Amino acid sequence: MDQIHSASLVGDAIGAISRHIRERDLMPGDKLPSEALLSKELNVSRTVVREAFRSLAAMRIIELATGKRATVAQIDHGAMSLMIEHGVHTDQINIHQIYDVRRTIETRIVTLAAIRRTDEEAAEILRLAAQMKASLGDPAALMEYDLAFHTALAQASRNPVYSLLIGSFQGITRQTWPMGWKTRPTQAARDLMVQTHIDIARAVAASDPLKAVELMTLHFDESVRALLTAGMS
Amino acid sequence: MDQIHSASLVGDAIGAISRHIRERDLMPGDKLPSEALLSKELNVSRTVVREAFRSLAAMRIIELATGKRATVAQIDHGAMSLMIEHGVHTDQINIHQIYDVRRTIETRIVTLAAIRRTDEEAAEILRLAAQMKASLGDPAALMEYDLAFHTALAQASRNPVYSLLIGSFQGITRQTWPMGWKTRPTQAARDLMVQTHIDIARAVAASDPLKAVELMTLHFDESVRALLTAGMS
DNA sequence: CAAGCAAAACCTGTCTGACAGGTTGGGGGA
DNA sequence: TCCCCCAACCTGTCAGACAGGTTTTGCTTG
């Protein structure tokens, strides 16, 4: 984890700072040394330390704030989201591949959610599904409730890695969701899509993992079909 | 994707550069403007442009090289790997959660690999499994072949997102793998672990996805049991 | 003595200018 | 025509400076 970046002063500084965090077992929120102090300890200019900080901040490993010292950060999907978007924009990843991964992890998520969800989480998931139905006339709002629904399921799975991954796909999903919506031109198709979410929420609330998985699979089958209809090869 | 970073000149610059890439449809390898030019166009100092470049480079969205201009980068798991490691080191993620995710995606990967693998990929996967067996006396080498084996499977799945995810877990796996190995103290347990890999390779080579999934599930069940034995809660 | 406030000390964000190399394209010589 | 070398370009790093934002300190006041 350290020498990956070496061969440049900034790379060395990134390694040194990472090591500092690990060796002292710093936890999210803990403060790092000031730029001035680090530049003195590492025998490099403040410029180098700053660029190292920026790099770590880009990966959301640390957090920067003006006036305050840098702190250790909580994991966050922002960086991953940008990386995925970049991959799609540069034709290194296509939407179908994203959907295959989402289907794979979301069927697992919904199983775990059905087993582990608290009553509060179940209520929230039901509420978001209901909000989707109430937003049938407002695609933008509907999309946001849709995203929040899947995020809530990931949360209920009690595995932060799933939350991270679902979050990572959110950025690109925001850009492609409207396409999928347009290919469901009939009211029936749109109602079905929303109803499936409601049914998934009910299955999770009823702690019925098998039913939940079945419905989630149905949802993704339908979504992929919609994308194909849209002519996305 | 743009205004996430705003409220600071560096953030704005990151947004402007990202937009530049997207609007001009730049592909991996394409050159970006020089720091001097960008600093002139964006009306900021070269310092700001450099920090923006560093941020994008940390996410492997662009690539920097001394003397040359920055180029658009290929997706790479390096950054994600560091992020995951950070999450584990700061107790935000534990090993079991990683294993649950790996099991979920690797069972899908092995299905796809069994269906889509080329003959060359099948041969490579078999070769790596054989190398594992040949390295039974050298844990470090065995681990590397193990990692390469799973990477090759992901490759054969023909979905770069799976490769990305498997790569993301490699960093932390390198740090925890020896623990799992130590908890398989008997020769029988160790032979079984390696034999399972060989069997998976054969199932993939035989284009038998069901058998491959069954064996992969077995492998993960066994690995999780080993971790539990090691006292990892 | 305690509470509160204001100045001092500290810290980050950005700018400017400078210089040591690494890279590249083009012109001139063989 | 081919090759080599130089000039132009570009990045990596450093030093110093200053405008704000933040934290600490210590004094003042009730």
Side-chain angles (χ1 to χ4, degrees):
Chain A
M1 173 162 174
D2 297 341
Q3 68 278 33
I4 297 173
H5 299 280
S6 76
S8 84
L9 293 186
V10 173
D12 293 346
I14 290 174
I17 297 165
S18 302
R19 215 175 313 122
H20 178 98
I21 293 174
R22 231 173 325 134
E23 284 173 2
R24 314 213 169 185
D25 253 309
L26 298 189
M27 290 293 127
D30 290 350
K31 285 181 194 162
L32 274 75
S34 72
E35 297 174 357
L37 187 64
L38 273 171
S39 84
K40 195 176 299 181
E41 278 183 7
L42 303 178
N43 278 311
V44 293
S45 69
R46 214 186 119 208
T47 307
V48 168
V49 174
R50 276 193 65 76
E51 293 194 8
F53 269 13
R54 280 280 178 208
S55 293
L56 291 166
M59 294 185 276
R60 307 296 205 277
I61 288 176
I62 69 173
E63 198 159 343
L64 304 179
T66 71
K68 300 182 196 173
R69 302 233 297 267
T71 57
V72 175
Q74 295 205 278
I75 27 177
D76 173 89
H77 56 79
M80 281 203 188
S81 212
L82 291 182
M83 290 168 64
I84 300 277
E85 282 180 59
H86 175 251
V88 173
H89 285 309
T90 55
D91 299 346
Q92 301 182 74
I93 299 174
N94 68 44
I95 304 298
H96 288 294
Q97 292 165 337
I98 301 264
Y99 264 79
D100 192 273
V101 176
R102 279 194 56 197
R103 177 215 291 266
T104 303
I105 68 177
E106 297 225 27
T107 51
R108 174 62 176 166
I109 284 173
V110 85
T111 299
L112 292 174
I115 296 169
R116 300 180 179 168
R117 97 283 184 289
T118 63
D119 290 345
E120 289 73 28
E121 285 164 346
E124 173 70 359
I125 290 165
L126 282 165
R127 189 185 71 77
L128 289 167
Q131 287 280 10
M132 284 179 68
K133 187 166 192 171
S135 307
L136 262 168
D138 181 355
L142 176 51
M143 176 178 84
E144 288 305 324
Y145 285 121
D146 188 359
L147 292 172
F149 176 87
H150 290 278
T151 302
L153 280 178
Q155 193 85 27
S157 81
R158 289 281 135 66
N159 185 331
V161 185
Y162 287 122
S163 296
L164 185 63
L165 294 178
I166 291 301
S168 301
F169 295 134
Q170 236 170 264
I172 194 64
T173 300
R174 266 206 185 78
Q175 295 176 34
T176 55
W177 191 96
M179 232 180 297
W181 186 246
K182 278 198 216 103
T183 62
R184 294 180 174 95
T186 69
Q187 196 57 46
R190 296 182 168 186
D191 284 347
L192 172 65
M193 184 267 208
V194 171
Q195 187 58 46
T196 305
H197 281 77
I198 291 174
D199 292 342
I200 290 171
R202 285 188 181 142
V204 168
S207 297
D208 185 344
L210 295 182
K211 182 76 174 286
V213 166
E214 184 195 322
L215 290 164
M216 185 61 88
T217 302
L218 180 72
H219 171 43
F220 271 97
D221 283 347
E222 212 276 311
S223 293
V224 170
R225 199 175 318 123
L227 276 182
L228 286 174
T229 306
M232 309 242 6
S233 66
Chain B
M1 173 161 170
D2 299 341
Q3 68 278 32
I4 297 173
H5 299 279
S6 77
S8 84
L9 293 185
V10 173
D12 293 346
I14 291 174
I17 298 165
S18 303
R19 214 175 313 123
H20 179 98
I21 294 175
R22 228 172 328 133
E23 284 172 2
R24 313 214 169 187
D25 253 310
L26 298 190
M27 291 292 126
D30 290 350
K31 284 182 192 162
L32 274 74
S34 73
E35 296 174 356
L37 187 63
L38 273 171
S39 83
K40 195 177 298 180
E41 277 184 8
L42 303 177
N43 278 311
V44 293
S45 68
R46 189 157 77 100
T47 309
V48 168
V49 174
R50 277 193 65 76
E51 292 194 8
F53 269 13
R54 280 280 178 208
S55 294
L56 291 167
M59 294 184 275
R60 308 298 204 276
I61 287 175
I62 68 174
E63 198 160 342
L64 304 179
T66 71
K68 301 183 198 174
R69 302 233 297 265
T71 57
V72 175
Q74 294 207 276
I75 26 178
D76 173 89
H77 56 80
M80 281 202 189
S81 213
L82 291 182
M83 291 169 63
I84 300 276
E85 283 180 57
H86 175 251
V88 173
H89 284 309
T90 55
D91 299 347
Q92 302 181 73
I93 299 173
N94 68 45
I95 304 298
H96 288 296
Q97 292 165 337
I98 301 263
Y99 264 80
D100 192 273
V101 176
R102 279 194 56 198
R103 175 213 293 265
T104 303
I105 68 177
E106 298 227 28
T107 51
R108 174 63 177 165
I109 284 173
V110 86
T111 299
L112 293 175
I115 297 170
R116 301 180 178 167
R117 97 283 182 291
T118 63
D119 291 346
E120 288 73 28
E121 285 164 345
E124 173 70 359
I125 290 164
L126 282 165
R127 189 185 70 78
L128 288 167
Q131 287 281 11
M132 284 180 68
K133 188 166 191 174
S135 307
L136 263 166
D138 181 354
L142 175 52
M143 175 178 84
E144 289 305 326
Y145 285 122
D146 187 358
L147 292 172
F149 176 87
H150 290 278
T151 302
L153 281 177
Q155 194 85 26
S157 80
R158 287 280 134 67
N159 185 332
V161 184
Y162 287 122
S163 296
L164 185 63
L165 294 178
I166 292 301
S168 301
F169 296 134
Q170 233 168 270
I172 194 64
T173 300
R174 266 205 186 78
Q175 296 177 33
T176 54
W177 191 96
M179 232 180 296
W181 187 247
K182 277 199 217 103
T183 61
R184 294 181 175 93
T186 69
Q187 196 57 44
R190 295 182 168 186
D191 285 346
L192 172 65
M193 185 266 209
V194 169
Q195 187 58 46
T196 304
H197 280 77
I198 292 174
D199 293 342
I200 290 171
R202 286 189 179 144
V204 169
S207 296
D208 185 345
L210 294 181
K211 182 76 176 287
V213 165
E214 184 195 322
L215 290 164
M216 184 62 87
T217 302
L218 180 72
H219 171 44
F220 272 98
D221 284 347
E222 212 275 311
S223 293
V224 170
R225 199 174 319 123
L227 276 181
L228 286 172
T229 305
M232 309 243 5
S233 65

